[in-house]
Amino acid sequence: MRTLALFVIGSFKNGTGISPASQSGPKIQIGGRRKACPTLRRQLLKYSRNVLAALIAVQVRNASRAEMNWPQFRGPNGDGVAAKSRAPAHFGPATNLVWKVALPAGHSSPCIWEDRIFLTGFTDGRLETLCLDRRDGKFLWRSALMPERIEPVHRLGSPAAPTPATDGERVYAYFGSFGLVCYDFAGHELWHKPLPIPMNEFGTGSSPILAGDFVVMVCDQDLDSFLLAVDRRTGQTVWKTARPEFRRSFSSPYLWRHDGVEEIVVTGTVWLKSYDLKDGNERWKMRGLARVANASPTSGSGLLFASSWNIGAEARERLSLPAFAAFADRQDKDTNGKFSKDEFPAGPLRDRFTQIDLDKDGFVTREEWRISEEIFTQAESSVFAVKPGGRGDITQTHRAWKQTRGLPYVPSPLCYEGRVYAVKNGGMASCYDATTGRTLYQEERLGALGDYYASPVGADGKVYFASQQGVVTVLQAGDDFHVLARNDLGEQIMATPAIVDGHIYLRAANYLFAFGDKSKTRNLNTR
């Protein structure tokens, strides 16, 4: 096909349909003389034009299909951007609603391939992978797992929090209570890979991503954290890299492609780290993150962006552990050289006892104290940009810029049209020049209060922020703060929206909604 394509493209450069070297047409041998064959020349000309038209049609069709896919958490490139899709500014239960369908409980975000939507859910102890028809929201299939036990989760969490990923042939789902599982598009299980329940009483939040032939996932927990790559066809481990210095985190890995390099970048305890996609070997690391990482990295404008905020990491309200010996003199009532929760005084440290008790045996040892003391000391809250090309510890050499106000707790930053957007709990949005970090606006009120768990997404010159209370605020992308709409869905939102083919797919507490500007978008059922 490549050779044929080169022939056809080359033959049309001169507008004749055949290459200059053979413009007189193909020749045949007659009586010792070579003569042009007009019939054969016309046939080749017609054939080459048909092939070129077919190749162009394939390219157009593939481009169209790419616009109809949102194949993993935060979309095609994991960056929250629908580059070529329209998207409505105004929508809600009575406005631009195409359809809605009731869903089982869960926080996973929509994963979309052409006319299929994939989600996960949790019902009566079953971990479900769901497939819906994007045209009308009807269920196509539901495949369930019955784990031996369900992982503990935060009061706001769910055993079905990670978002599935798809390559157009298979769908991959991760459940902290089970591990990885792969289904075909008919819902038949192809393989599964059991993994231990993470050592973390808040549950799992990280989603798997697709990177070439690999499914990549991070499992950061209070002991034995690791980064894992498996073969997407078989589920066999390709490589597994230990992350012993990392504790619980809930962010997803990010595939950063630049300058011919493919690297997996992961936020975590204190450090942002990069790994080689081929073998999982560490490439570089940079300090600047908090104790617990929730937000995933992203990239744009030639830079990588990461953010992290947590209580106790800011200078004005820093949490720290006193010296072990001094604390033991005051609090070790039974003088056994370790501390139970009852021996912690009431306050912020006692509230974090389970984070300091790394092995969850009910006691904090001297070594666990030392590790936690170091983490509390090094933790920072910031959003920052990283220049490519680093090796080793690049904290002092490759940071392009850094900001310490208006920081998101859970939502990932969004780089869209040369700007980085972030949303702080309470509904305060900030925007920075992606290249320089210059503040364009900071902590502007969206007019939608409450906490924010969904990550912002960008499309059609707009930026979408969804609050936990169920209000989606739409901003005009640009240097100035300008609210286009506030859309109240009337129920809690924890999942990140997906934008495909002029439609917004948004999972709320009870329903999956499909919104589209009915004056501009064709009916989904007409394709």
Side-chain angles (χ1 to χ4, degrees):
M1 176 62 78
R2 182 175 180 272
T3 303
L4 180 59
L6 290 174
F7 161 73
V8 174
I9 293 170
S11 68
F12 272 84
K13 285 182 178 179
N14 57 24
T16 66
I18 53 178
S19 64
S22 60
Q23 282 192 38
S24 59
K27 295 178 172 60
I28 60 176
Q29 193 80 18
I30 301 178
R33 293 182 299 170
R34 299 176 67 205
K35 291 189 175 182
C37 179
T39 301
L40 181 57
R41 184 177 63 184
R42 286 194 298 270
Q43 289 175 343
L44 284 174
L45 176 60
K46 181 178 179 180
Y47 177 73
S48 60
R49 285 173 172 166
N50 290 340
V51 171
L52 181 60
L55 290 171
I56 293 173
V58 167
Q59 285 187 321
V60 171
R61 185 166 63 251
N62 288 342
S64 176
R65 285 178 176 174
E67 294 176 32
M68 294 168 60
N69 299 331
W70 190 272
Q72 60 188 2
F73 178 60
R74 304 193 75 210
N77 300 307
D79 57 11
V81 174
K84 298 181 180 180
S85 179
R86 298 182 304 275
H90 299 273
F91 52 87
T95 306
N96 283 325
L97 177 64
V98 179
W99 53 257
K100 72 174 185 178
V101 62
L103 291 178
H107 293 337
S108 62
S109 304
C111 163
I112 300 172
W113 192 275
E114 296 184 359
D115 285 335
R116 292 173 184 260
I117 301 176
F118 301 101
L119 291 158
T120 59
F122 179 65
T123 307
D124 298 328
R126 300 192 309 275
L127 302 170
E128 294 187 296
T129 301
L130 315 170
C131 179
L132 294 81
D133 192 317
R134 189 167 71 89
R135 295 168 295 185
D136 53 23
K138 292 181 179 178
F139 281 90
L140 298 176
W141 51 263
R142 302 170 71 152
S143 294
L145 300 167
M146 292 293 292
E148 294 181 3
R149 69 184 183 96
I150 298 297
E151 65 177 329
V153 297
H154 188 273
R155 61 183 176 81
L156 295 176
S158 167
T163 297
T166 182
D167 56 12
E169 298 177 359
R170 309 167 190 84
V171 58
Y172 310 88
Y174 170 64
F175 300 95
S177 305
F178 178 82
L180 280 166
V181 60
C182 171
Y183 299 100
D184 65 18
F185 268 35
H188 303 126
E189 182 181 312
L190 299 177
W191 55 259
H192 66 265
K193 188 175 188 65
L195 295 168
I197 292 178
M199 192 174 290
N200 162 25
E201 77 278 10
F202 282 177
T204 303
S206 180
S207 300
I209 67 166
L210 284 165
D213 288 331
F214 304 158
V215 179
V216 180
M217 57 163 289
V218 63
C219 181
D220 276 357
Q221 51 190 333
D222 290 343
L223 276 181
D224 300 325
S225 298
F226 61 88
L227 181 67
L228 176 69
V230 305
D231 187 296
R232 63 186 177 92
R233 297 177 182 85
T234 66
Q236 295 298 308
T237 297
V238 179
W239 51 258
K240 181 179 180 181
T241 300
R243 289 166 52 88
E245 68 273 46
F246 290 92
R247 308 300 161 216
R248 67 179 64 189
S249 285
F250 306 93
S251 64
S252 300
Y254 178 73
L255 176 61
W256 189 20
R257 293 188 176 101
H258 63 89
D259 307 311
V261 175
E262 291 185 318
E263 51 188 308
I264 299 294
V265 186
V266 188
T267 57
T269 304
V270 176
W271 293 95
L272 176 71
K273 277 199 175 186
S274 162
Y275 302 85
D276 196 304
L277 175 61
K278 296 189 300 294
D279 52 24
N281 289 332
E282 182 181 317
R283 295 177 60 86
W284 55 261
K285 61 182 180 179
M286 178 179 284
R287 274 181 50 179
L289 300 177
R291 292 179 296 109
V292 179
N294 298 308
S296 303
T298 190
S299 67
S301 300
L303 298 170
L304 180 94
F305 307 99
S307 68
S308 184
W309 177 90
N310 210 286
I311 295 171
E314 295 177 299
R316 63 179 180 273
E317 54 178 26
R318 177 167 291 279
L319 288 177
S320 61
L321 292 179
F324 182 88
F327 190 81
D329 287 342
R330 297 192 306 270
Q331 303 299 139
D332 189 9
K333 308 301 182 184
D334 54 11
T335 65
N336 65 351
K338 54 187 178 181
F339 312 121
S340 67
K341 186 173 183 178
D342 291 339
E343 291 175 316
F344 272 62
L349 293 183
R350 184 173 183 173
D351 293 342
R352 289 158 182 79
F353 176 84
T354 57
Q355 299 178 35
I356 303 171
D357 175 20
L358 301 179
D359 63 4
K360 307 297 178 283
D361 67 349
F363 295 95
V364 173
T365 65
R366 180 184 291 270
E367 178 62 13
E368 289 174 327
W369 187 276
R370 183 196 65 78
I371 293 171
S372 298
E373 183 180 15
E374 185 176 290
I375 291 171
F376 275 75
T377 300
Q378 295 180 346
E380 299 179 51
S381 290
S382 63
V383 57
F384 57 88
V386 182
K387 294 180 286 187
R391 284 286 189 174
D393 186 345
I394 63 172
T395 304
Q396 303 302 323
T397 59
H398 281 69
R399 196 190 315 270
W401 56 262
K402 176 180 176 180
Q403 291 280 353
T404 58
R405 286 183 54 194
L407 302 175
Y409 177 40
V410 174
S412 303
L414 170 72
C415 182
Y416 182 53
E417 295 184 345
R419 305 172 189 87
V420 174
Y421 297 87
V423 59
K424 180 180 178 179
N425 278 350
M428 290 180 281
S430 299
C431 178
Y432 309 101
D433 181 280
T435 303
T436 66
R438 179 173 63 92
T439 300
L440 301 175
Y441 54 82
Q442 197 166 56
E443 297 184 346
E444 291 283 355
R445 296 193 175 275
L446 293 171
L449 299 176
D451 292 339
Y452 284 69
Y453 291 89
S455 293
V457 294
D460 198 20
K462 309 178 188 75
V463 180
Y464 297 76
F465 299 91
S467 75
Q468 181 192 6
Q469 295 184 4
V471 178
V472 183
T473 304
V474 185
L475 299 186
Q476 180 70 51
D479 293 354
D480 301 318
F481 180 79
H482 178 60
V483 176
L484 297 175
R486 296 183 184 91
N487 306 294
D488 191 348
L489 269 63
E491 56 180 270
Q492 177 178 276
I493 298 174
M494 304 291 281
T496 296
I499 301 178
V500 170
D501 193 28
H503 293 76
I504 298 175
Y505 299 88
L506 209 160
R507 182 183 197 160
N510 302 303
Y511 294 94
L512 175 65
F513 294 88
F515 299 109
D517 188 336
K518 294 182 178 179
S519 66
K520 296 181 180 179
T521 61
R522 61 190 183 279
N523 190 301
L524 288 173
N525 284 302
T526 62
R527 284 199 299 275

